[in-house]
Amino acid sequence: MMIQSEHFLFGDDIPVEDIGGGLSRQIMGYNEELMAVKVFFEKGAEGYVHKHRHSQVSYVEKGTFEVNVDGKIKTLTAGDCFFVPPNVDHGAVCTTGGILIDVFSPMREDFVGE
């Protein structure tokens, strides 16, 4: 049986989960191979340096972020993005308050409890 979200999702209907430390997330569309997640950062909130088995592309929708990928730090603003290969350390600090759109392959099973 395939794990997947509905075909059409409306932002106002998708719950936003407080994950602590000034971060919250909204799980958008997904199946076992792909997942999109909207992550809201309060000013100064930090996505701590971590790694996972998933490939990740993150798009900066709003705000300014100090992004660390494999020890290299760059400042990214709205319209920028970064790529993280599997099992590479990465993290981000939002200096202004902002939003990232994270895309994972395969899906983050830990985010939906599957």
Side-chain angles (χ1 to χ4, degrees):
M1 182 173 139
M2 179 71 131
I3 298 168
Q4 68 181 32
S5 64
E6 298 294 323
H7 291 275
F8 297 97
L9 300 122
F10 300 91
D12 290 342
D13 297 334
I14 301 170
V16 176
E17 174 187 8
D18 183 347
I19 55 176
L23 298 168
S24 55
R25 72 176 166 225
Q26 191 175 35
I27 298 172
M28 310 305 278
Y30 63 91
N31 68 13
E32 294 167 344
E33 298 170 354
L34 185 67
M35 173 182 269
V37 178
K38 191 172 192 177
V39 185
F40 302 87
F41 286 72
E42 294 177 6
K43 182 177 181 177
E46 180 175 358
Y48 294 101
V49 174
H50 65 287
K51 61 184 172 183
H52 44 71
R53 68 181 185 92
H54 312 83
S55 294
Q56 176 179 341
V57 175
S58 295
Y59 173 79
V60 180
E61 181 178 313
K62 177 181 176 184
T64 301
F65 291 82
E66 296 295 322
V67 178
N68 177 339
V69 177
D70 203 20
K72 190 171 198 173
I73 299 172
K74 298 284 185 181
T75 301
L76 282 76
T77 60
D80 296 337
C81 65
F82 60 96
F83 169 71
V84 184
N87 301 307
V88 170
D89 287 332
H90 61 285
V93 176
C94 187
T95 59
T96 60
I99 299 171
L100 291 180
I101 306 296
D102 292 339
V103 178
F104 300 99
S105 177
M107 72 176 281
R108 292 290 303 262
E109 303 90 344
D110 53 321
F111 285 6
V112 295
E114 299 292 338

